[in-house]
Each structure stands twice: as structure tokens, then as C-alpha cells.
Amino acid sequence: MAFRIEEAFRVDAAPDYVWRYVIDPHRVVRCMPGAELTGEEGERAYLGRVKVKVGPVTTSYAGRATLVDVNEALHIVRLTGEGRESGGAGSAKLTMTSRVIALPDGATEIRVEADVDVAGKIVQFGRGMIEGVSRQLFRQFAECVRAELATTLDAAPTTSSPANMKPVRALPLVFTWLWRALAGLRKSRKTR
């Protein structure tokens, strides 16, 4: 199942400050629910895991992400990632482009475009639910990035510990998505 994510959010910090954060995978991974770095392969290739739990179904992916293009002048970074489901036949592929854009008031906008292709047991939840949960996860990510950037960027980067890694609990996100979908359906029926 392939789908596209296009999201943007504002950060009240200078673009250069935000850019240094965006290109540091050790810092960014701390804001990705259920994710951890497990190693590095060269200058811009990273090994990691992501764990997602939806009700009784827990899916873990182990894989590799590579910063394939880092454009310092334009503040654009392109990442590719690929992972295999641990203990299953599923897989996930990702191509993501992030842009750090200066806003007139001195703040910054981060724009993310990602093409995702997933296969395996997670697909049973359907495209609509997966896309809805992805949007909720992105909102959590954006809030975490804002909080991280409110602290000093000069702190030494740390990697997440496997012992502290918790799977993202997608069930509350599913209920949020379902509630919004039902509210939207009700609203569209009232306008008829």
C-alpha cells in the first residue's frame, strides 16, 4: 500500500538553528514515536528500528535510512529508508524531503513530503486509517520538535536506548482518527 504525506509546521526559532536540528538524526529520532537509532554505516547512513502497536498487533521494522542529499544552501534534505518487519514478511519504504523555510517574522516553517510504501500485517487496517494515524503521529512529532528546539541545540546529542524504546501506541490515534472521520461524515450529511 503506497501513500503520500505532505505536512508543514511552524517553529519559533531561526532557520539556521532549525536546520542544524533537522540534519542531526540523533536528535530527530527522539521525536519519532516508537523509533530508535541502532547504529551508523558511514557518514550519512543510519540503522534503526520502529515499533508500532495497534490494539493487539505489534509490528516492528528494522532497517536503514540514508541522507541522500543535504543541500546546505537551500536547507533541503532528502532521506530514503527501507525496513523489514521483524518476524514477518512485511516491509516499509520511504522517500522523504524536508525543507526548512525562513518566515518573514524570523520564525521557520518545516515542510515534509514523504512517499511511503508498506506491506504486511499493518495493511489490514486500510489506507484511510493508516493515513489518519500517520497525520496524528506527525502532529506528535511536530510538537516534540517544537519542544526540543525550545531547549538549547548545543547539548550533546544522545541516542535512544533500546531499553527505553516503547512502541508507539496507535490505538488512541485510531480512536482520534475514527472520531474525526465520523464527525466529518455527520457534518457532510447535515449540509445535504
Side-chain angles (χ1 to χ4, degrees):
M1 172 186 305
F3 61 97
R4 184 169 177 83
I5 299 169
E6 293 181 8
E7 298 283 350
F9 63 99
R10 175 189 169 96
V11 177
D12 290 322
D16 287 337
Y17 184 76
V18 175
W19 173 249
R20 287 194 316 269
Y21 177 88
V22 167
I23 61 171
D24 184 351
H26 295 282
R27 294 186 62 87
V28 172
V29 74
R30 295 190 312 215
C31 285
M32 299 176 76
E36 72 168 323
L37 288 181
T38 59
E40 295 184 27
E41 287 187 340
E43 188 179 333
R44 291 185 175 169
Y46 302 88
L47 301 176
R49 291 189 294 226
V50 176
K51 190 182 280 189
V52 178
K53 180 176 173 73
V54 180
V57 177
T58 299
T59 303
S60 297
Y61 296 92
R64 180 175 191 234
T66 305
L67 301 176
V68 293
D69 185 22
V70 178
N71 188 322
E72 295 278 346
L74 296 177
H75 287 173
I76 299 172
V77 60
R78 191 166 58 89
L79 171 138
T80 60
E82 207 170 321
R84 303 276 325 149
E85 186 178 350
S86 304
S91 64
K93 292 182 182 181
L94 165 79
T95 301
M96 182 171 73
T97 302
S98 300
R99 291 176 173 79
V100 174
I101 301 165
L103 297 175
D105 64 358
T108 303
E109 182 177 74
I110 299 175
R111 287 188 194 160
V112 177
E113 298 167 355
D115 292 307
V116 182
D117 193 358
V118 293
K121 58 185 170 184
I122 199 81
V123 174
Q124 70 185 333
F125 294 102
R127 177 183 309 279
M129 185 173 292
I130 290 173
E131 288 175 344
V133 168
S134 295
R135 282 190 294 277
Q136 293 295 321
L137 289 172
F138 189 85
R139 285 186 192 103
Q140 288 180 5
F141 171 76
E143 288 305 315
C144 180
V145 169
R146 286 186 191 107
E148 282 269 320
L149 288 171
T151 62
T152 180
L153 228 165
D154 297 328
T158 60
T159 58
S160 54
S161 162
N164 295 333
M165 183 182 157
K166 295 179 183 172
V168 60
R169 304 268 179 210
L171 194 55
L173 301 174
V174 169
F175 286 130
T176 301
W177 171 83
L178 186 58
W179 179 256
R180 288 185 178 162
L182 290 173
L185 180 62
R186 234 174 82 192
K187 188 176 179 180
S188 68
R189 286 186 177 168
K190 284 183 180 179
T191 59
R192 287 184 190 172

